[in-house]
Amino acid sequence: MDEKYPIGTYSFDGKISADQRRAWISEIEQLPKRLIESVAGLQGSELQTPYRTGGWSIIQVVHHIADSHMNSYIRFKLALTEETPTIRPYYEDRFAELPDSLDADIEPSLILITQLHKKWVTLLESLKDEDFQKAFYHPESKETLHLDYTLGNYAWHGNHHVAHILAARERMAQ
């Protein structure tokens, strides 16, 4: 197993169907429960364990998901309300080094992710097919990203980090 990409990297080529979008929305809806289950019972040094050599600690991963998914939710709203807006990138590695990500209790981020995903799913389920063709411009990657592709990327993102935590737990148990 690739410790950095335990479920592989995200890629999707071709037309994204309504069924595929519904599957991704379901994954986004289920992420909070899966994330909470993945960290259940971990405490102290277990939460400080890196998910891989040179990687973030489990605490940092949980807080990163909150930071990342908040940014994505806002990007969706910008794309839905503006004509291909240019989004503002952020330094996720620097965010992960701030005190609220290094050693803060994960409970507030778990609550935030749970509530954010409820709100995000409500928005996603209200969209029409054509809304998923709206896009934003990412100045760092110099790409125009459509919401349907971005939806899949964030479904993958949550699964990717839950897999990191589960793999770290497995290594700790050995």
Side-chain angles (χ1 to χ4, degrees):
M1 178 188 71
D2 181 343
E3 287 184 343
K4 190 170 184 178
Y5 294 102
I7 64 169
T9 57
Y10 175 69
S11 67
F12 193 91
D13 294 323
K15 184 170 170 35
I16 297 169
S17 70
D19 286 341
Q20 180 62 69
R21 283 194 302 268
R22 278 191 291 280
W24 285 335
I25 292 168
S26 179
E27 290 177 37
I28 286 174
E29 184 175 32
Q30 294 304 311
L31 175 68
K33 180 178 185 279
R34 293 185 60 238
L35 180 61
I36 289 166
E37 289 171 354
S38 77
V39 297
L42 296 179
Q43 51 191 310
S45 64
E46 294 169 319
L47 287 168
Q48 291 294 345
T49 301
Y51 73 87
R52 66 176 173 87
T53 303
W56 290 334
S57 69
I58 292 172
I59 284 178
Q60 287 173 295
V61 170
V62 171
H63 293 307
H64 162 71
I65 294 168
D67 292 340
S68 177
H69 289 208
M70 280 190 293
N71 271 283
S72 183
Y73 175 71
I74 293 302
R75 290 171 180 179
F76 267 75
K77 293 192 80 143
L78 289 169
L80 290 165
T81 60
E82 299 177 21
E83 187 65 36
T84 316
T86 298
I87 56 97
R88 187 178 187 307
Y90 70 102
Y91 296 105
E92 64 183 38
D93 56 330
R94 294 180 190 176
F95 274 42
E97 294 299 324
L98 293 172
D100 70 321
S101 293
L102 279 175
D103 56 14
D105 181 10
I106 61 172
E107 189 65 23
S109 280
L110 294 173
I111 292 168
L112 190 154
I113 292 163
T114 298
Q115 297 307 317
L116 173 65
H117 278 238
K118 285 180 184 176
K119 197 165 167 53
W120 199 1
V121 167
T122 297
L123 175 67
L124 293 169
E125 288 179 339
S126 75
L127 300 181
K128 298 178 180 94
D129 288 345
E130 59 268 19
D131 292 327
F132 286 98
Q133 295 313 303
K134 294 183 179 184
F136 57 84
Y137 177 73
H138 197 301
E140 194 173 72
S141 66
K142 300 190 181 354
E143 293 178 288
T144 298
L145 300 168
H146 291 94
L147 294 184
D148 56 2
Y149 180 86
T150 303
L151 172 65
N153 190 28
Y154 277 87
W156 170 85
H157 184 259
N159 293 330
H160 166 72
H161 285 306
V162 167
H164 282 152
I165 294 166
L166 295 174
R169 286 190 79 125
E170 200 171 294
R171 282 190 304 280
M172 284 187 272
Q174 295 174 351

